[in-house]
Amino acid sequence: GDSVTQMEGPVTLSEEAFLTINCTYTATGYPSLFWYVQYPGEGLQLLLKATKADDKGSNKGFEATYRKETTSFHLEKGSVQVSDSAVYFCALSAGEYGNKLVFGAGTILRVKS
Amino acid sequence: DADVTQTPRNRITKTGKRIMLECSQTKGHDRMYWYRQDPGLGLRLIYYSFDVKDINKGEISDGYSVSRQAQAKFSLSLESAIPNQTALYFCATSARPLAGYETQYFGPGTRLLVL
């Protein structure tokens, strides 16, 4: 079945460091891909998405490119801030019409000042 | 006011008790979902509903039931709670897709502890 694998955390970085969180997927068909972020004590928020191969999603300085050849959707940010500390989830759409989300396990990011 | 609300936010209950978690939304979406989050496992889909008369089981529906009382309300029940149902529960909503996929919007979560 469809699945998402993302790098284990926690990832601890200093402020202004470069961030990469790896995400790979297994899916039938052509899923849409997403990164969701969960700040402490809150629900999940959509961070960015890409709906087809080679699309780049971007938001708040974060980027991810849909790579069909490597089945990957790695999240990157050039300079992280303390306020980026959160749990990041990679997900894909599944099911008929892509209505259901399949999530990775989540990666905790901690940014130190 | 939040678009997707969940009550209660925290709940402690005992094994064997029946409990209900409630979700309400003001986004006017047709589709609603219940997920549970466990450390190291991400979110897993329990049930989903595409409209008031359409209820579907998700990946892990055993031990749970749902009720879609209205377009805006979707409740999750644990008929007889057990300790391994201790988790963080999220409700989500989405619009009916015109094409492809519609973004899901999540509530703040309910933290449930079953003793």
Side-chain angles (χ1 to χ4, degrees):
Chain A
D2 297 337
S3 67
V4 175
T5 302
Q6 57 183 108
M7 64 188 290
E8 292 188 18
V11 174
T12 302
L13 297 173
S14 297
E15 208 165 19
E16 300 184 1
F18 184 85
L19 168 71
T20 299
I21 300 178
N22 290 337
C23 171
T24 57
Y25 67 91
T26 302
T28 54
Y30 303 96
S32 294
L33 301 174
F34 310 86
W35 278 100
Y36 277 82
V37 58
Q38 183 181 28
Y39 297 105
E42 299 183 11
L44 279 71
Q45 303 173 26
L46 179 66
L47 180 60
L48 55 84
K49 67 180 181 183
T51 57
K52 62 183 186 296
D54 300 325
D55 268 3
K56 177 185 284 188
S58 61
N59 186 25
K60 300 181 181 180
F62 292 89
E63 294 182 340
T65 300
Y66 189 144
R67 300 287 187 200
K68 186 166 178 283
E69 64 276 12
T70 54
T71 62
S72 64
F73 193 55
H74 304 320
L75 182 68
E76 297 182 337
K77 186 175 186 184
S79 176
V80 293
Q81 305 300 312
V82 172
S83 58
D84 293 327
S85 297
V87 183
Y88 292 81
F89 293 93
C90 185
L92 62 81
S93 62
E96 187 179 4
Y97 308 118
N99 291 301
K100 294 179 285 184
L101 288 174
V102 174
F103 285 88
T107 302
I108 298 172
L109 171 64
R110 298 180 178 139
V111 181
K112 304 179 299 182
S113 58
Chain B
D1 286 340
D3 294 321
V4 184
T5 57
Q6 294 182 232
T7 56
R9 293 294 311 278
N10 294 281
R11 178 75 183 269
I12 301 173
T13 192
K14 295 182 179 179
T15 296
K17 294 292 187 181
R18 182 182 187 276
I19 66 164
M20 179 182 290
L21 310 183
E22 298 186 343
C23 176
S24 295
Q25 53 111 349
T26 59
K27 297 188 76 69
H29 288 166
D30 289 326
R31 304 184 170 201
M32 299 186 74
Y33 310 79
W34 275 105
Y35 293 89
R36 66 176 278 175
Q37 181 183 11
D38 298 279
L41 294 177
L43 278 75
R44 293 178 292 168
L45 183 63
I46 305 172
Y47 271 95
Y48 61 103
S49 169
F50 285 170
D51 64 39
V52 175
K53 296 182 180 179
D54 180 69
I55 305 288
N56 304 280
K57 292 183 178 180
E59 181 185 357
I60 52 163
S61 59
D62 287 349
Y64 301 94
S65 63
V66 291
S67 172
R68 184 81 183 266
Q69 301 94 325
Q71 186 203 36
K73 296 184 183 295
F74 192 36
S75 300
L76 176 71
S77 294
L78 287 67
E79 298 299 328
S80 180
I82 56 177
N84 76 1
Q85 291 177 313
T86 293
L88 186 54
Y89 289 85
F90 286 104
C91 175
T93 75
S94 70
R96 185 190 307 268
L98 297 176
Y101 175 85
E102 285 289 340
T103 299
Q104 291 188 20
Y105 296 86
F106 285 78
T110 294
R111 190 170 297 278
L112 175 66
L113 174 61
V114 183
L115 300 175

